Amino acid sequence: MKIRTPLLTIAAFVLFYFVAGACFFRFGVESLVLPHVALSAQTTAPLFLRIGGDDGNAILVRRYGTPKVDCVVFFPGQHGNISAYIRNLFPAFVAHGIAVLAVAYPGQNGAPGTPHHLHEIMVLATQTAEAAQATCPGHRIVLYGRSLGSMVAAYAAAKTHPAGLILDSAARSFSSAIRLRLNARWYLAPLALLPVPRLLAHDYSLAEALSSMRDVPAVVFQGTADRETPLSDLRAAGMPGNLKLVVVSGGTHSTTDLLARDRTMQTALTMLRAPRT
């Protein structure tokens, strides 16, 4: 009896741990993907587009530069650190006549709302891409997504078929990104044993998004030292045939965009200048 009681207690704790984890993946994880980010004083560009839904969520778009060679629509990562991109990334595009339309997700950088599901973001992102195509002078845009923004941009591209799609530090799927985060913390690592892809309401993946846009040129820049979205994980499931991989030597999750900046800009320029088909 003395041994049985602690064993039953441990078993109950383990059961609760895994059941709570499974419920979180099914009902709660998507609401925590996008943290709140206050509007930065460095976000000085005027509002260019506001794309809103009936639920109070809205994407705000600010324009940097004049569109002489049309536009790049930039979808940032989940933390929406737009001030760093304003300093280090956008000027390279602006200097070559490419206007950057920078997206602010609901709850970030002045955009209203609190999204509870990724589907809400995907719908708004698609509407944003459609509005950008209609607004930019030549009606040609390239969608450029970084980290979480890569998945958002890929699904928006699947619906709108832009002149090109550029991904940076991309995860191959929503479930793979979750498992990598779990395995990085010892107290959460056991939850990676759960069937995460089946527990999610929808397991968004690059393979699914790219399967319906084989006519759109797509390039992913992936760093060799990226631990959050490792190059090996992206390769593990097999690269979609219509996605070109550019390996960025020494690139981490936070530096790949800087190391690949000039190549990314040239890629966007080539996509925008390519003959229409």
Side-chain angles (χ1 to χ4, degrees):
M1 181 65 68
K2 291 182 179 180
I3 297 176
R4 184 181 178 186
T5 299
L7 287 177
L8 288 174
T9 301
I10 292 171
F13 174 79
V14 171
L15 178 63
F16 173 79
Y17 175 84
F18 282 103
V19 169
C23 291
F24 174 69
F25 294 141
R26 184 65 182 86
F27 301 108
V29 67
E30 292 189 25
S31 64
L32 298 181
V33 168
L34 290 176
H36 174 76
V37 177
L39 181 64
S40 170
Q42 294 177 309
T43 308
T44 54
L47 184 63
F48 182 68
L49 290 172
R50 184 187 190 280
I51 309 298
D54 296 333
D55 54 5
N57 290 320
I59 276 179
L60 299 184
V61 181
R62 296 178 175 89
R63 193 182 79 182
Y64 298 85
T66 302
K68 299 175 183 177
V69 193
D70 265 311
C71 309
V72 162
V73 183
F74 180 74
F75 294 91
Q78 70 177 120
H79 297 289
N81 187 20
I82 203 69
S83 59
Y85 304 125
I86 294 170
R87 291 192 308 270
N88 303 321
L89 183 63
F90 297 170
F93 291 88
V94 172
H96 286 80
I98 302 174
V100 179
L101 307 183
V103 166
Y105 303 121
Q108 297 187 345
N109 297 307
T114 305
H116 297 290
H117 302 285
L118 280 176
H119 175 71
E120 299 164 13
I121 301 300
M122 301 300 186
V123 170
L124 290 174
T126 298
Q127 294 173 352
T128 299
E130 291 171 342
Q133 282 179 320
T135 306
C136 285
H139 306 300
R140 303 196 81 190
I141 61 170
V142 165
L143 303 189
Y144 175 8
R146 214 189 106 67
S147 191
L148 173 70
S150 292
M151 196 68 70
V152 178
Y155 274 86
K159 298 287 188 180
T160 58
H161 294 260
L165 172 67
I166 297 175
L167 309 178
D168 175 349
S169 305
R172 62 185 171 95
S173 67
F174 187 32
S175 61
S176 69
I178 290 173
R179 277 187 164 140
L180 286 164
R181 296 287 181 91
L182 294 174
N183 285 321
R185 296 165 175 80
W186 66 267
Y187 52 91
L188 295 177
L191 293 177
L193 298 172
L194 290 170
V196 178
R198 293 200 295 272
L199 290 170
L200 296 172
H202 187 97
D203 188 16
Y204 295 93
S205 70
L206 292 182
E208 181 181 64
L210 294 172
S211 65
S212 61
M213 47 167 282
R214 299 192 182 278
D215 59 327
V216 176
V219 180
V220 58
F221 293 86
Q222 206 78 359
T224 58
D226 189 335
R227 295 185 178 181
E228 292 187 43
T229 52
L231 177 62
S232 58
D233 187 68
L234 188 65
R235 283 172 163 166
M239 297 288 293
N242 55 334
L243 180 62
K244 177 184 176 182
L245 172 64
V246 177
V247 176
V248 181
S249 180
T252 66
H253 198 70
S254 60
T255 64
T256 293
D257 60 322
L258 296 178
L259 294 175
R261 178 179 55 197
D262 292 340
R263 284 177 287 176
T264 303
M265 184 275 300
Q266 289 294 339
T267 299
L269 203 58
T270 298
M271 290 173 172
L272 290 170
R273 286 177 171 172
R276 298 175 186 267
T277 57

